[in-house]
Amino acid sequence: MSGDDFTKGVEDGLRLSKRIYFGKDRSVAPPKPITAMEKATRSYYPVSPMVYAVISNPGIVDNPDVPSYQPHVHGRCDPPALIPLQMNGIGIEVDCYLDTAFVTMTGSWRVHCVMGSASCDCRLAIPMGLEGSILGVEVEVTTKSYTTQLVVMDEKGETESVAKAEGGGFLKPHIFTLTIPQVDGGSNISVKGRWSQKIIYKGGEFTLDVPFSFPEYVTPAGKKLSKKEKIQLNINVGLGTEVVCRTTNHPLKERKREAGKLAFLYEAEVLTWSNTDFVFTYSVPTSSAFGGVLLQSPSSLSIDQKELFSLYLFPGADHSRKVIRKEVLFVVDISGSMKGRTIEATKNAVVAVLSKLDQGDSFSIMAFNDQTYLFSSTMELATKEALEKATEWIGMNFIAGGGTNMSIALDKAIEMLSGTKQSVPIIFFITDGAVENERQICEAMIKQLRNQGSDLCPRIYTFGIGSFYNPYFLRMLAMIGRGHYDAASDPDSIVAQMEALFSKAASTVLLNIAIDSLDDVDSLEVYPSIVPDLRSEGPLVLFGKYTGAFPDTLKAMGILADMSNFTIDLKVQRTKDIPLDKILAKQQIEQYTAQAWFSQDKKLEEKVAKISMQTGVVSEYTRMTLLETVQEKHATTSSGVKQGKKETITPQKVEVTKKSHMIKVLPHLGVGFGNLIATIENTPPGYEPKLPDQAEMLVRAAGNCCVNMCSKCCCLCCIQACSQMNDQCAIVITQLCGALACLGCFACCELCCGQD
């Protein structure tokens, strides 16, 4: 289901829910009609875990407890209406380690909108926080239960012994959905969902933001019904330092406080559900940079039985630290596929980012398709006049058209920024497409950046738009250039996501970082191999594998904004209660996949698949499946007991529960490696060619048949044949033509009704 179908379905579902009669004793009313102003600003996408009844036949919508006997509704809903189910209870348990949070959500919903004699599919939607990654879902419904499970894909990109892909996927990059088939009206649905997300680090503070805001119409209709919400929070910064609680928007009670650890609990009976997300901020009381190195021994299931290490370096809360001056070159794709809303949103985003340049920064803009177009051949100071001219130039030159030639644009960008010494050069690369020579582009960038000598190498920040670009090419390009990668899935999110990426680029505080004391470690693997810069808006994280002994301390060195040298000692400690393999899983999978794509390494692909299977984090080489367990109850009778000459038979009912399993494959949850054909054809982001349905195929076949017949007969032949035809043959021919005409009318009616 597309995003438009989803929002239309929810809108139709809220209208249908007005049919439900709750009786005289009710604490909530059906959803109020939405005004035109609210409709323009309101989004029907879920902002917290929700379950919807999928209604194709509106005639089954009714209260399963108190039937309303309303008039029958004719027709069907296309797309299906989605009625938000009423929620009985909700709770989250959050475990925070370093910069990652693991969230376990438990909730219960009731199918309150379908008559007891009917059933419908139900759709679960789980929005996740920053850089969220779904880890697994468990669902229980009466005599059925469902569990997600990852399986390895074969070389053809398919799994063995599984059904056709259906029943789930990502509605948005941060919203996971799952379809629960055929749930009876009045049933309760219990859900347990697990995901990981990043903890925001900015200005020396950690901010945890977990979706926990629910609309009023999911409140159960009944004053006496128990409504309980619960939040359990555990924090372990992992570096042995003190943790200070700053703010919270829910009334938490402290349960535990130790060095580097905190635990809180909130549990209450409520009249209405929480209408704000759960936000909690905390900090480590130090103004300077801090960090450490964590070691973890391999488990019995480890792939290569090597030791795992991770280096964390946080910038601290020193607000007096200077941010390094920047020279930013925006390299923007204006090929034909960018036309429409995409190019307009990109214009607005680049103009918004230009306004965030600091005094003393310099910039220029390069647009490219088959050719390149420069705002200025030299870097311009970010003065008010220069920014106004740049805005005018963007409006005149950002016109979508032509092909996509990335290599020429990137080569010219490197050439323009070479020789920089007193400021950090940044290439801000924006595209929505894929090209055939992506690996060659990466190789060329590696060679050119190595040839920079003592000068500061250009940093490359990459931004992808839509779903046709290759995210692993952009990620690899950013890794080579010590930068960062981000993306926007649709035009509506381009401005916000691009501003967030530029904010990271603009917050660089430490350059050219090197780690000392690692030369003597055996079989050392470090990712990323080119160490990124340290930014004030997040920690620097390195990870890898090794064998043998590891030093007790490591030394990190770099260059500050005033071009002075910086050094910090990082203490090495072995973890006991921190799941380092799970914390690093998503980062490992993303960077290993980018490296495997670049080097075309099959063994590295297999390694990614194994990490995915062990940690539950989806990858390009695994598929998520849905395991269904059905509990069947059977009654049996016991055999008779012989007493003397008589045999007395005493039937005893014994319930025997049997379980049957069935596996369904969900649509591929990976982001893919780009779409060359869509890029060559300049297909706009979000466009998917519609395949003809069965009615259209039948009409086409009938039409082609008639055309073929007519093409073989001239008008005179037809007249002569009809004059010799008897009455019975004429009737058959007339009926056949009428049937073909009806098929055409049926297809037209279906198309019109679907768009009504």
Side-chain angles (χ1 to χ4, degrees), residues 427-460:
I427 297 173
F428 207 87
F429 184 73
I430 303 165
T431 186
D432 73 330
V435 293
E436 291 182 340
N437 62 334
E438 290 171 342
R439 292 186 180 88
Q440 289 78 9
I441 291 174
C442 289
E443 292 170 353
M445 291 298 105
I446 292 173
K447 292 178 181 178
Q448 292 190 53
L449 294 179
R450 283 177 180 172
N451 295 333
Q452 293 291 314
S454 59
D455 299 330
L456 286 174
C457 297
R459 271 53 181 168
I460 304 176

PDB file of all heavy atoms in Angstrom, residues 427-460:
ATOM      1  N   ILE A 427      32.233  19.186  -0.044  1.00  0.00           N
ATOM      2  CA  ILE A 427      31.401  18.949  -1.225  1.00  0.00           C
ATOM      3  C   ILE A 427      30.064  18.406  -0.736  1.00  0.00           C
ATOM      4  O   ILE A 427      30.004  17.350  -0.097  1.00  0.00           O
ATOM      5  CB  ILE A 427      32.058  17.951  -2.191  1.00  0.00           C
ATOM      6  CG1 ILE A 427      33.371  18.509  -2.725  1.00  0.00           C
ATOM      7  CG2 ILE A 427      31.117  17.610  -3.342  1.00  0.00           C
ATOM      8  CD1 ILE A 427      34.165  17.518  -3.560  1.00  0.00           C
ATOM      9  N   PHE A 428      28.995  19.128  -1.024  1.00  0.00           N
ATOM     10  CA  PHE A 428      27.650  18.723  -0.614  1.00  0.00           C
ATOM     11  C   PHE A 428      26.943  18.200  -1.855  1.00  0.00           C
ATOM     12  O   PHE A 428      26.411  18.956  -2.648  1.00  0.00           O
ATOM     13  CB  PHE A 428      26.918  19.929  -0.013  1.00  0.00           C
ATOM     14  CG  PHE A 428      25.855  19.560   0.978  1.00  0.00           C
ATOM     15  CD1 PHE A 428      26.172  19.374   2.307  1.00  0.00           C
ATOM     16  CD2 PHE A 428      24.544  19.403   0.577  1.00  0.00           C
ATOM     17  CE1 PHE A 428      25.187  19.033   3.225  1.00  0.00           C
ATOM     18  CE2 PHE A 428      23.560  19.070   1.482  1.00  0.00           C
ATOM     19  CZ  PHE A 428      23.878  18.880   2.816  1.00  0.00           C
ATOM     20  N   PHE A 429      26.969  16.880  -2.018  1.00  0.00           N
ATOM     21  CA  PHE A 429      26.539  16.227  -3.259  1.00  0.00           C
ATOM     22  C   PHE A 429      25.099  15.738  -3.135  1.00  0.00           C
ATOM     23  O   PHE A 429      24.757  14.984  -2.216  1.00  0.00           O
ATOM     24  CB  PHE A 429      27.474  15.060  -3.566  1.00  0.00           C
ATOM     25  CG  PHE A 429      27.191  14.369  -4.866  1.00  0.00           C
ATOM     26  CD1 PHE A 429      27.501  14.978  -6.070  1.00  0.00           C
ATOM     27  CD2 PHE A 429      26.615  13.113  -4.891  1.00  0.00           C
ATOM     28  CE1 PHE A 429      27.243  14.343  -7.282  1.00  0.00           C
ATOM     29  CE2 PHE A 429      26.358  12.464  -6.082  1.00  0.00           C
ATOM     30  CZ  PHE A 429      26.670  13.087  -7.290  1.00  0.00           C
ATOM     31  N   ILE A 430      24.233  16.155  -4.090  1.00  0.00           N
ATOM     32  CA  ILE A 430      22.800  15.856  -4.038  1.00  0.00           C
ATOM     33  C   ILE A 430      22.383  15.198  -5.351  1.00  0.00           C
ATOM     34  O   ILE A 430      22.628  15.744  -6.431  1.00  0.00           O
ATOM     35  CB  ILE A 430      21.980  17.148  -3.822  1.00  0.00           C
ATOM     36  CG1 ILE A 430      22.432  17.868  -2.545  1.00  0.00           C
ATOM     37  CG2 ILE A 430      20.486  16.843  -3.762  1.00  0.00           C
ATOM     38  CD1 ILE A 430      21.944  19.297  -2.450  1.00  0.00           C
ATOM     39  N   THR A 431      21.743  14.024  -5.272  1.00  0.00           N
ATOM     40  CA  THR A 431      21.297  13.332  -6.487  1.00  0.00           C
ATOM     41  C   THR A 431      20.096  12.460  -6.180  1.00  0.00           C
ATOM     42  O   THR A 431      19.831  12.124  -5.014  1.00  0.00           O
ATOM     43  CB  THR A 431      22.424  12.470  -7.078  1.00  0.00           C
ATOM     44  OG1 THR A 431      21.994  11.916  -8.325  1.00  0.00           O
ATOM     45  CG2 THR A 431      22.785  11.336  -6.136  1.00  0.00           C
ATOM     46  N   ASP A 432      19.373  12.079  -7.243  1.00  0.00           N
ATOM     47  CA  ASP A 432      18.243  11.158  -7.097  1.00  0.00           C
ATOM     48  C   ASP A 432      18.407   9.928  -7.987  1.00  0.00           C
ATOM     49  O   ASP A 432      17.476   9.127  -8.103  1.00  0.00           O
ATOM     50  CB  ASP A 432      16.930  11.866  -7.444  1.00  0.00           C
ATOM     51  CG  ASP A 432      16.775  12.102  -8.943  1.00  0.00           C
ATOM     52  OD1 ASP A 432      17.810  12.272  -9.616  1.00  0.00           O
ATOM     53  OD2 ASP A 432      15.632  12.115  -9.430  1.00  0.00           O
ATOM     54  N   GLY A 433      19.572   9.762  -8.617  1.00  0.00           N
ATOM     55  CA  GLY A 433      19.718   8.690  -9.600  1.00  0.00           C
ATOM     56  C   GLY A 433      20.945   7.826  -9.388  1.00  0.00           C
ATOM     57  O   GLY A 433      21.791   8.085  -8.525  1.00  0.00           O
ATOM     58  N   ALA A 434      21.026   6.778 -10.205  1.00  0.00           N
ATOM     59  CA  ALA A 434      22.162   5.861 -10.206  1.00  0.00           C
ATOM     60  C   ALA A 434      22.819   5.887 -11.580  1.00  0.00           C
ATOM     61  O   ALA A 434      22.154   6.145 -12.585  1.00  0.00           O
ATOM     62  CB  ALA A 434      21.701   4.442  -9.868  1.00  0.00           C
ATOM     63  N   VAL A 435      24.131   5.629 -11.621  1.00  0.00           N
ATOM     64  CA  VAL A 435      24.864   5.584 -12.887  1.00  0.00           C
ATOM     65  C   VAL A 435      25.699   4.310 -12.938  1.00  0.00           C
ATOM     66  O   VAL A 435      25.950   3.668 -11.912  1.00  0.00           O
ATOM     67  CB  VAL A 435      25.769   6.829 -13.062  1.00  0.00           C
ATOM     68  CG1 VAL A 435      24.927   8.082 -13.222  1.00  0.00           C
ATOM     69  CG2 VAL A 435      26.730   6.984 -11.880  1.00  0.00           C
ATOM     70  N   GLU A 436      26.146   3.948 -14.144  1.00  0.00           N
ATOM     71  CA  GLU A 436      26.850   2.681 -14.331  1.00  0.00           C
ATOM     72  C   GLU A 436      28.272   2.702 -13.779  1.00  0.00           C
ATOM     73  O   GLU A 436      28.795   1.659 -13.383  1.00  0.00           O
ATOM     74  CB  GLU A 436      26.889   2.327 -15.821  1.00  0.00           C
ATOM     75  CG  GLU A 436      25.534   1.964 -16.404  1.00  0.00           C
ATOM     76  CD  GLU A 436      25.620   1.563 -17.860  1.00  0.00           C
ATOM     77  OE1 GLU A 436      26.626   1.924 -18.510  1.00  0.00           O
ATOM     78  OE2 GLU A 436      24.696   0.884 -18.336  1.00  0.00           O
ATOM     79  N   ASN A 437      28.921   3.855 -13.746  1.00  0.00           N
ATOM     80  CA  ASN A 437      30.334   3.920 -13.380  1.00  0.00           C
ATOM     81  C   ASN A 437      30.546   4.358 -11.936  1.00  0.00           C
ATOM     82  O   ASN A 437      31.499   5.066 -11.615  1.00  0.00           O
ATOM     83  CB  ASN A 437      31.071   4.873 -14.317  1.00  0.00           C
ATOM     84  CG  ASN A 437      30.543   6.304 -14.234  1.00  0.00           C
ATOM     85  OD1 ASN A 437      29.379   6.511 -13.882  1.00  0.00           O
ATOM     86  ND2 ASN A 437      31.379   7.275 -14.556  1.00  0.00           N
ATOM     87  N   GLU A 438      29.672   3.935 -11.033  1.00  0.00           N
ATOM     88  CA  GLU A 438      29.761   4.379  -9.633  1.00  0.00           C
ATOM     89  C   GLU A 438      31.039   3.875  -8.959  1.00  0.00           C
ATOM     90  O   GLU A 438      31.682   4.615  -8.201  1.00  0.00           O
ATOM     91  CB  GLU A 438      28.520   3.919  -8.866  1.00  0.00           C
ATOM     92  CG  GLU A 438      27.260   4.661  -9.285  1.00  0.00           C
ATOM     93  CD  GLU A 438      26.003   4.069  -8.683  1.00  0.00           C
ATOM     94  OE1 GLU A 438      26.045   2.901  -8.231  1.00  0.00           O
ATOM     95  OE2 GLU A 438      24.972   4.756  -8.674  1.00  0.00           O
ATOM     96  N   ARG A 439      31.415   2.624  -9.203  1.00  0.00           N
ATOM     97  CA  ARG A 439      32.640   2.101  -8.595  1.00  0.00           C
ATOM     98  C   ARG A 439      33.867   2.848  -9.122  1.00  0.00           C
ATOM     99  O   ARG A 439      34.803   3.132  -8.352  1.00  0.00           O
ATOM    100  CB  ARG A 439      32.769   0.603  -8.865  1.00  0.00           C
ATOM    101  CG  ARG A 439      31.727  -0.246  -8.149  1.00  0.00           C
ATOM    102  CD  ARG A 439      31.996  -1.739  -8.339  1.00  0.00           C
ATOM    103  NE  ARG A 439      30.998  -2.547  -7.665  1.00  0.00           N
ATOM    104  CZ  ARG A 439      29.853  -2.936  -8.213  1.00  0.00           C
ATOM    105  NH1 ARG A 439      29.573  -2.587  -9.468  1.00  0.00           N
ATOM    106  NH2 ARG A 439      28.988  -3.660  -7.532  1.00  0.00           N
ATOM    107  N   GLN A 440      33.870   3.171 -10.406  1.00  0.00           N
ATOM    108  CA  GLN A 440      34.989   3.925 -10.975  1.00  0.00           C
ATOM    109  C   GLN A 440      35.067   5.331 -10.367  1.00  0.00           C
ATOM    110  O   GLN A 440      36.157   5.862 -10.145  1.00  0.00           O
ATOM    111  CB  GLN A 440      34.835   4.017 -12.501  1.00  0.00           C
ATOM    112  CG  GLN A 440      35.067   2.714 -13.251  1.00  0.00           C
ATOM    113  CD  GLN A 440      33.885   1.767 -13.183  1.00  0.00           C
ATOM    114  OE1 GLN A 440      32.822   2.140 -12.706  1.00  0.00           O
ATOM    115  NE2 GLN A 440      34.079   0.539 -13.645  1.00  0.00           N
ATOM    116  N   ILE A 441      33.908   5.918 -10.075  1.00  0.00           N
ATOM    117  CA  ILE A 441      33.885   7.238  -9.427  1.00  0.00           C
ATOM    118  C   ILE A 441      34.519   7.152  -8.046  1.00  0.00           C
ATOM    119  O   ILE A 441      35.333   8.005  -7.657  1.00  0.00           O
ATOM    120  CB  ILE A 441      32.438   7.767  -9.332  1.00  0.00           C
ATOM    121  CG1 ILE A 441      31.903   8.116 -10.726  1.00  0.00           C
ATOM    122  CG2 ILE A 441      32.363   8.991  -8.427  1.00  0.00           C
ATOM    123  CD1 ILE A 441      30.436   8.501 -10.743  1.00  0.00           C
ATOM    124  N   CYS A 442      34.185   6.113  -7.298  1.00  0.00           N
ATOM    125  CA  CYS A 442      34.773   5.938  -5.958  1.00  0.00           C
ATOM    126  C   CYS A 442      36.290   5.766  -6.051  1.00  0.00           C
ATOM    127  O   CYS A 442      37.037   6.349  -5.250  1.00  0.00           O
ATOM    128  CB  CYS A 442      34.137   4.732  -5.264  1.00  0.00           C
ATOM    129  SG  CYS A 442      32.423   4.979  -4.762  1.00  0.00           S
ATOM    130  N   GLU A 443      36.742   4.957  -7.000  1.00  0.00           N
ATOM    131  CA  GLU A 443      38.185   4.750  -7.165  1.00  0.00           C
ATOM    132  C   GLU A 443      38.887   6.052  -7.535  1.00  0.00           C
ATOM    133  O   GLU A 443      39.976   6.354  -7.020  1.00  0.00           O
ATOM    134  CB  GLU A 443      38.437   3.692  -8.245  1.00  0.00           C
ATOM    135  CG  GLU A 443      37.999   2.292  -7.835  1.00  0.00           C
ATOM    136  CD  GLU A 443      38.041   1.308  -8.998  1.00  0.00           C
ATOM    137  OE1 GLU A 443      38.277   1.767 -10.146  1.00  0.00           O
ATOM    138  OE2 GLU A 443      37.816   0.105  -8.768  1.00  0.00           O
ATOM    139  N   ALA A 444      38.253   6.842  -8.401  1.00  0.00           N
ATOM    140  CA  ALA A 444      38.847   8.133  -8.792  1.00  0.00           C
ATOM    141  C   ALA A 444      38.917   9.086  -7.607  1.00  0.00           C
ATOM    142  O   ALA A 444      39.908   9.811  -7.436  1.00  0.00           O
ATOM    143  CB  ALA A 444      38.033   8.749  -9.926  1.00  0.00           C
ATOM    144  N   MET A 445      37.883   9.078  -6.759  1.00  0.00           N
ATOM    145  CA  MET A 445      37.883   9.956  -5.582  1.00  0.00           C
ATOM    146  C   MET A 445      38.986   9.557  -4.606  1.00  0.00           C
ATOM    147  O   MET A 445      39.650  10.415  -4.010  1.00  0.00           O
ATOM    148  CB  MET A 445      36.517   9.896  -4.883  1.00  0.00           C
ATOM    149  CG  MET A 445      35.367  10.538  -5.659  1.00  0.00           C
ATOM    150  SD  MET A 445      35.591  12.305  -5.938  1.00  0.00           S
ATOM    151  CE  MET A 445      36.044  12.295  -7.690  1.00  0.00           C
ATOM    152  N   ILE A 446      39.196   8.255  -4.432  1.00  0.00           N
ATOM    153  CA  ILE A 446      40.265   7.795  -3.533  1.00  0.00           C
ATOM    154  C   ILE A 446      41.618   8.298  -4.017  1.00  0.00           C
ATOM    155  O   ILE A 446      42.431   8.818  -3.238  1.00  0.00           O
ATOM    156  CB  ILE A 446      40.256   6.250  -3.441  1.00  0.00           C
ATOM    157  CG1 ILE A 446      38.988   5.757  -2.716  1.00  0.00           C
ATOM    158  CG2 ILE A 446      41.495   5.744  -2.714  1.00  0.00           C
ATOM    159  CD1 ILE A 446      38.821   4.253  -2.726  1.00  0.00           C
ATOM    160  N   LYS A 447      41.893   8.166  -5.323  1.00  0.00           N
ATOM    161  CA  LYS A 447      43.175   8.610  -5.879  1.00  0.00           C
ATOM    162  C   LYS A 447      43.351  10.119  -5.742  1.00  0.00           C
ATOM    163  O   LYS A 447      44.412  10.606  -5.348  1.00  0.00           O
ATOM    164  CB  LYS A 447      43.278   8.191  -7.343  1.00  0.00           C
ATOM    165  CG  LYS A 447      43.377   6.683  -7.559  1.00  0.00           C
ATOM    166  CD  LYS A 447      43.427   6.341  -9.049  1.00  0.00           C
ATOM    167  CE  LYS A 447      43.502   4.842  -9.257  1.00  0.00           C
ATOM    168  NZ  LYS A 447      43.496   4.478 -10.709  1.00  0.00           N
ATOM    169  N   GLN A 448      42.295  10.879  -6.060  1.00  0.00           N
ATOM    170  CA  GLN A 448      42.416  12.329  -6.028  1.00  0.00           C
ATOM    171  C   GLN A 448      42.587  12.859  -4.609  1.00  0.00           C
ATOM    172  O   GLN A 448      43.356  13.794  -4.375  1.00  0.00           O
ATOM    173  CB  GLN A 448      41.181  12.969  -6.687  1.00  0.00           C
ATOM    174  CG  GLN A 448      41.094  12.709  -8.186  1.00  0.00           C
ATOM    175  CD  GLN A 448      40.015  13.533  -8.844  1.00  0.00           C
ATOM    176  OE1 GLN A 448      39.975  14.748  -8.698  1.00  0.00           O
ATOM    177  NE2 GLN A 448      39.126  12.874  -9.577  1.00  0.00           N
ATOM    178  N   LEU A 449      41.899  12.249  -3.643  1.00  0.00           N
ATOM    179  CA  LEU A 449      42.028  12.716  -2.261  1.00  0.00           C
ATOM    180  C   LEU A 449      43.388  12.354  -1.679  1.00  0.00           C
ATOM    181  O   LEU A 449      43.911  13.071  -0.822  1.00  0.00           O
ATOM    182  CB  LEU A 449      40.903  12.124  -1.408  1.00  0.00           C
ATOM    183  CG  LEU A 449      39.490  12.608  -1.766  1.00  0.00           C
ATOM    184  CD1 LEU A 449      38.444  11.936  -0.882  1.00  0.00           C
ATOM    185  CD2 LEU A 449      39.381  14.118  -1.637  1.00  0.00           C
ATOM    186  N   ARG A 450      43.970  11.244  -2.127  1.00  0.00           N
ATOM    187  CA  ARG A 450      45.312  10.873  -1.666  1.00  0.00           C
ATOM    188  C   ARG A 450      46.369  11.837  -2.182  1.00  0.00           C
ATOM    189  O   ARG A 450      47.408  12.035  -1.550  1.00  0.00           O
ATOM    190  CB  ARG A 450      45.645   9.455  -2.112  1.00  0.00           C
ATOM    191  CG  ARG A 450      44.982   8.367  -1.286  1.00  0.00           C
ATOM    192  CD  ARG A 450      45.320   7.002  -1.847  1.00  0.00           C
ATOM    193  NE  ARG A 450      44.697   5.930  -1.081  1.00  0.00           N
ATOM    194  CZ  ARG A 450      44.703   4.648  -1.447  1.00  0.00           C
ATOM    195  NH1 ARG A 450      45.302   4.296  -2.596  1.00  0.00           N
ATOM    196  NH2 ARG A 450      44.123   3.734  -0.694  1.00  0.00           N
ATOM    197  N   ASN A 451      46.115  12.448  -3.328  1.00  0.00           N
ATOM    198  CA  ASN A 451      47.092  13.347  -3.940  1.00  0.00           C
ATOM    199  C   ASN A 451      47.029  14.778  -3.403  1.00  0.00           C
ATOM    200  O   ASN A 451      47.716  15.659  -3.932  1.00  0.00           O
ATOM    201  CB  ASN A 451      46.882  13.374  -5.465  1.00  0.00           C
ATOM    202  CG  ASN A 451      47.168  12.028  -6.102  1.00  0.00           C
ATOM    203  OD1 ASN A 451      47.958  11.244  -5.588  1.00  0.00           O
ATOM    204  ND2 ASN A 451      46.522  11.755  -7.234  1.00  0.00           N
ATOM    205  N   GLN A 452      46.231  15.009  -2.369  1.00  0.00           N
ATOM    206  CA  GLN A 452      46.086  16.366  -1.832  1.00  0.00           C
ATOM    207  C   GLN A 452      47.292  16.806  -1.006  1.00  0.00           C
ATOM    208  O   GLN A 452      47.443  17.986  -0.707  1.00  0.00           O
ATOM    209  CB  GLN A 452      44.822  16.455  -0.968  1.00  0.00           C
ATOM    210  CG  GLN A 452      43.532  16.300  -1.761  1.00  0.00           C
ATOM    211  CD  GLN A 452      43.263  17.474  -2.674  1.00  0.00           C
ATOM    212  OE1 GLN A 452      43.384  18.632  -2.282  1.00  0.00           O
ATOM    213  NE2 GLN A 452      42.896  17.179  -3.915  1.00  0.00           N
ATOM    214  N   GLY A 453      48.119  15.855  -0.585  1.00  0.00           N
ATOM    215  CA  GLY A 453      49.329  16.207   0.170  1.00  0.00           C
ATOM    216  C   GLY A 453      49.003  16.739   1.552  1.00  0.00           C
ATOM    217  O   GLY A 453      48.159  16.198   2.270  1.00  0.00           O
ATOM    218  N   SER A 454      49.654  17.836   1.947  1.00  0.00           N
ATOM    219  CA  SER A 454      49.478  18.411   3.280  1.00  0.00           C
ATOM    220  C   SER A 454      48.220  19.261   3.387  1.00  0.00           C
ATOM    221  O   SER A 454      47.847  19.688   4.472  1.00  0.00           O
ATOM    222  CB  SER A 454      50.703  19.263   3.647  1.00  0.00           C
ATOM    223  OG  SER A 454      50.868  20.308   2.700  1.00  0.00           O
ATOM    224  N   ASP A 455      47.569  19.529   2.258  1.00  0.00           N
ATOM    225  CA  ASP A 455      46.347  20.335   2.290  1.00  0.00           C
ATOM    226  C   ASP A 455      45.204  19.536   2.919  1.00  0.00           C
ATOM    227  O   ASP A 455      45.231  18.297   2.962  1.00  0.00           O
ATOM    228  CB  ASP A 455      45.948  20.754   0.877  1.00  0.00           C
ATOM    229  CG  ASP A 455      47.026  21.610   0.219  1.00  0.00           C
ATOM    230  OD1 ASP A 455      47.727  22.325   0.963  1.00  0.00           O
ATOM    231  OD2 ASP A 455      47.168  21.543  -1.011  1.00  0.00           O
ATOM    232  N   LEU A 456      44.192  20.255   3.386  1.00  0.00           N
ATOM    233  CA  LEU A 456      43.005  19.598   3.908  1.00  0.00           C
ATOM    234  C   LEU A 456      42.207  19.017   2.744  1.00  0.00           C
ATOM    235  O   LEU A 456      41.853  19.725   1.808  1.00  0.00           O
ATOM    236  CB  LEU A 456      42.143  20.594   4.688  1.00  0.00           C
ATOM    237  CG  LEU A 456      42.661  21.004   6.061  1.00  0.00           C
ATOM    238  CD1 LEU A 456      41.784  22.096   6.659  1.00  0.00           C
ATOM    239  CD2 LEU A 456      42.701  19.804   7.000  1.00  0.00           C
ATOM    240  N   CYS A 457      41.949  17.711   2.797  1.00  0.00           N
ATOM    241  CA  CYS A 457      41.198  17.059   1.731  1.00  0.00           C
ATOM    242  C   CYS A 457      39.738  17.494   1.784  1.00  0.00           C
ATOM    243  O   CYS A 457      39.184  17.692   2.869  1.00  0.00           O
ATOM    244  CB  CYS A 457      41.276  15.543   1.876  1.00  0.00           C
ATOM    245  SG  CYS A 457      42.934  14.879   1.712  1.00  0.00           S
ATOM    246  N   PRO A 458      39.079  17.620   0.639  1.00  0.00           N
ATOM    247  CA  PRO A 458      37.648  17.935   0.654  1.00  0.00           C
ATOM    248  C   PRO A 458      36.846  16.850   1.366  1.00  0.00           C
ATOM    249  O   PRO A 458      37.074  15.652   1.160  1.00  0.00           O
ATOM    250  CB  PRO A 458      37.293  18.002  -0.836  1.00  0.00           C
ATOM    251  CG  PRO A 458      38.578  18.309  -1.526  1.00  0.00           C
ATOM    252  CD  PRO A 458      39.632  17.618  -0.727  1.00  0.00           C
ATOM    253  N   ARG A 459      35.919  17.278   2.202  1.00  0.00           N
ATOM    254  CA  ARG A 459      34.977  16.363   2.849  1.00  0.00           C
ATOM    255  C   ARG A 459      33.777  16.210   1.923  1.00  0.00           C
ATOM    256  O   ARG A 459      33.318  17.190   1.333  1.00  0.00           O
ATOM    257  CB  ARG A 459      34.523  16.906   4.195  1.00  0.00           C
ATOM    258  CG  ARG A 459      35.387  16.501   5.383  1.00  0.00           C
ATOM    259  CD  ARG A 459      36.839  16.781   5.221  1.00  0.00           C
ATOM    260  NE  ARG A 459      37.604  16.331   6.393  1.00  0.00           N
ATOM    261  CZ  ARG A 459      38.903  16.236   6.436  1.00  0.00           C
ATOM    262  NH1 ARG A 459      39.638  16.540   5.369  1.00  0.00           N
ATOM    263  NH2 ARG A 459      39.516  15.833   7.526  1.00  0.00           N
ATOM    264  N   ILE A 460      33.269  14.997   1.802  1.00  0.00           N
ATOM    265  CA  ILE A 460      32.155  14.740   0.891  1.00  0.00           C
ATOM    266  C   ILE A 460      30.932  14.312   1.704  1.00  0.00           C
ATOM    267  O   ILE A 460      30.951  13.267   2.360  1.00  0.00           O
ATOM    268  CB  ILE A 460      32.504  13.657  -0.140  1.00  0.00           C
ATOM    269  CG1 ILE A 460      33.767  14.037  -0.921  1.00  0.00           C
ATOM    270  CG2 ILE A 460      31.342  13.443  -1.106  1.00  0.00           C
ATOM    271  CD1 ILE A 460      34.228  12.975  -1.902  1.00  0.00           C
TER     272      ILE A 460
END
